[in-house]
Amino acid sequence: MRFKANNLTWNIDFVDEDKKLMNSDNGMYFGLTEYQPQRISIRTGLSKEMTRETVIHELVHCFLFSFGVCGFTSLNEEQVCNFVGSHLDKIYEITEKFMKGVIMLTEQEIRYFISDDAGSQRKRKSREAQRYYEGEHDILNYRMFYYNSDGELVEDTTRSNIKISHPFFTELVDQQVQYMLSGDDSFVRSDVEGLQSKLDEYFDEDFKAELTDLLTGTITKGFDYLFAYQNEHDRLAFQYADSLGVIEVRAKDTDDNCNYVIYWYIDRIAKNNKVIKRIQVWDDEKTTYYVQNDEGGIDLDDSVDINPRPHVIYERDNSLYYKPFGFIPFFRLDNNKKQISNLKAIKGIIDDYDIMSCGLSNNLADFDHPLHVVRGFEGDNLDELSQNLKTKKTIGVDSEGGVEVHTVDIPYQARLTKMEQDEKNIYRFGMGFNSAQIGDGNITNIVIKSRYALLDLKCNKLEIKLKQFLKKIVKVVIDEINKKNNSAYEVEDVWFDFKREVMTNASDNAQIYKTEAETRQIEINTILGLHGVIDDKNVIKSICDVLELDYEEVKNNIPDEFEDDPLKVLGDE
């Protein structure tokens, strides 16, 4: 935490009890004030009361130095009273801020950053894309108007206005995510002895679930986040954070010149539809938790025991100790360089498809009954005419009267053609796999793979970004593994392997396996035919190579009686 004393900028922070700075040959320090770097260090592990007393003690040293009083061997009573009277309030103010751990972002700053971020074009586009992923298309707000006899534009509430969203975007997003992570094996790999098992502890099914949410959000909104935390097993874990509630605050935009991340989310809807919002402010050492009731004040969250809360808290000898990550533990994955959603390329086509489809439904609903043109109706009430048509199916007319039945031709074929073209373009420009695509009936593996071509191209682009993202995650994981195991693994020891699974033709696969088996049999027969030209050892070794067997293991399993002539194990020629 930064503060000023006589225009000198000081830092006061907790320092781990194990640090050499807090220990000497003469014993340990509860607190330490260093004049040259203008830094105050407070030992972790002290009780709350002892911590507060130590902070006040060190701040007195700081103020004595800052106001030029340091160095005097003694002060008389009047001088002490003057110093205390001039600076005690400020010392108490700094102490209370430090004990509360007040982050230097004020309530006004937090409110401003949240409001400014919500109004940004990037977040507006992200919210729109999220709506479309959830099936809430613009067609749901579609209204129809007409000009009445007075020339006024009024809404038409008599005609059918069917509103149906067609969630192509949802399918394309989920399709890409599942295809990216379709492989059964771990995608975080290492050939270094002992490292793979340790990596598997971090990159398990729980991580894959969070990564699934991350990819879904990234493709949908253009970017999204994971954040790191220490789980109950005292191990780094990662959790998804919705980018709509994450705000990266740059140092140049804050009064204390520090970087922060603000993360907010709606906790619940209370009585009278009051929205309870939870707000977290993260820096490179701790997290401060706030709560906001509707659009009211932003207050410290009393439900959090330790607030602000250091990144890592652990207990030793009935005392709590704190440890920061040393960085803001939020990791962002971008969909592309401009952080643009995949919706942008196809939104207009999806909207057109919605309009064409709903328009056809409206036409069918409005003109599902024929029109009757009646001449010479003997009654005097049109309601009676309509009722007779519905119930008796008869109408009374005079001698010169008659009834003509007319139907309206709906241009459904043109609409269907346009919808088919829209659907084709949605999958083409959305670069997806169209499972409804009809071929000529000859669905071979080559044909299937060709239909995955666009999806593969799209996934290849995202895979580059994903590997860059995972390298940042792996770095902090490797650092923790090295600290816990006193090892020296490096990020370069880890590589990423995404094996995507494609549906295949079972008949084609059977034919491929049969051809491969026949090829191996021919190779083995050729090798056996060379017996006499090459020795037994090389014959066995060559057969092992063809069958992808471990030669040393096979050799060790050959019975002793066949040691001189190992080919006899294969039986008579």
Side-chain angles (χ1 to χ4, degrees), residues 528-541:
L528 291 174
L530 293 174
H531 181 227
V533 178
I534 57 178
D535 58 67
D536 293 353
K537 177 182 176 181
N538 283 315
V539 169
I540 296 293
K541 189 173 183 179

Side-chain angles (χ1 to χ4, degrees), residues 207-430:
F207 179 82
K208 192 170 184 178
E210 300 298 330
L211 188 63
T212 299
D213 291 338
L214 173 72
L215 287 174
T216 301
T218 299
I219 297 167
T220 300
K221 294 170 285 188
F223 62 100
D224 230 326
Y225 295 84
L226 287 184
F227 69 89
Y229 67 97
Q230 207 81 3
N231 65 14
E232 66 274 15
H233 304 297
D234 192 29
R235 188 171 63 231
L236 269 178
F238 300 89
Q239 185 173 327
Y240 167 71
D242 187 351
S243 62
L244 293 178
V246 178
I247 306 161
E248 297 182 44
V249 181
R250 298 173 298 180
K252 69 175 187 176
D253 296 327
T254 62
D255 291 340
D256 61 351
N257 200 36
C258 290
N259 293 309
Y260 297 100
V261 164
I262 299 174
Y263 175 42
W264 66 268
Y265 59 93
I266 302 298
D267 182 37
R268 68 183 188 278
I269 307 297
K271 287 184 178 180
N272 301 321
N273 291 323
K274 288 186 177 181
V275 177
I276 307 301
K277 182 186 293 184
R278 302 288 176 180
I279 303 172
Q280 303 171 8
V281 179
W282 295 67
D283 64 12
D284 58 359
E285 294 183 349
K286 55 191 175 296
T287 309
T288 304
Y289 297 83
Y290 299 91
V291 62
Q292 184 181 24
N293 195 329
D294 260 354
E295 295 302 319
I298 298 175
D299 303 313
L300 284 172
D301 191 347
D302 294 333
S303 65
V304 180
D305 294 336
I306 302 175
N307 191 14
R309 186 181 184 87
H311 293 159
V312 181
I313 297 179
Y314 59 96
E315 187 173 344
R316 184 189 300 168
D317 299 329
N318 296 323
S319 296
L320 287 178
Y321 297 91
Y322 315 110
K323 183 174 64 176
F325 284 135
F327 59 89
I328 301 178
F330 275 73
F331 302 87
R332 189 185 71 218
L333 173 63
D334 294 336
N335 189 38
N336 44 58
K337 185 177 180 180
K338 294 185 176 180
Q339 301 176 344
I340 295 174
S341 165
N342 281 4
L343 176 67
K344 183 176 181 180
I346 56 175
K347 180 182 181 299
I349 310 175
I350 292 176
D351 288 342
D352 187 61
Y353 187 97
D354 287 343
I355 292 173
M356 290 294 109
S357 178
C358 293
L360 179 58
S361 297
N362 290 331
N363 290 158
L364 294 174
D366 286 335
F367 302 106
D368 61 336
H369 299 294
L371 302 177
H372 296 80
V373 179
V374 181
R375 300 190 309 275
F377 177 52
E378 293 181 338
D380 57 4
N381 191 318
L382 288 179
D383 291 336
E384 179 186 348
L385 171 63
S386 299
Q387 187 65 26
N388 288 341
L389 281 173
K390 289 180 180 179
T391 57
K392 300 179 181 179
K393 308 297 183 185
T394 60
I395 305 172
V397 296
D398 59 22
S399 58
E400 296 181 358
V403 178
E404 295 180 12
V405 180
H406 295 270
T407 58
V408 177
D409 292 329
I410 299 173
Y412 73 93
Q413 194 60 48
R415 288 185 180 274
L416 289 177
T417 301
K418 184 65 171 71
M419 289 165 60
E420 288 173 1
Q421 187 63 37
D422 281 344
E423 181 176 349
K424 181 179 179 180
N425 287 334
I426 287 170
Y427 285 103
R428 176 190 296 172
F429 301 121

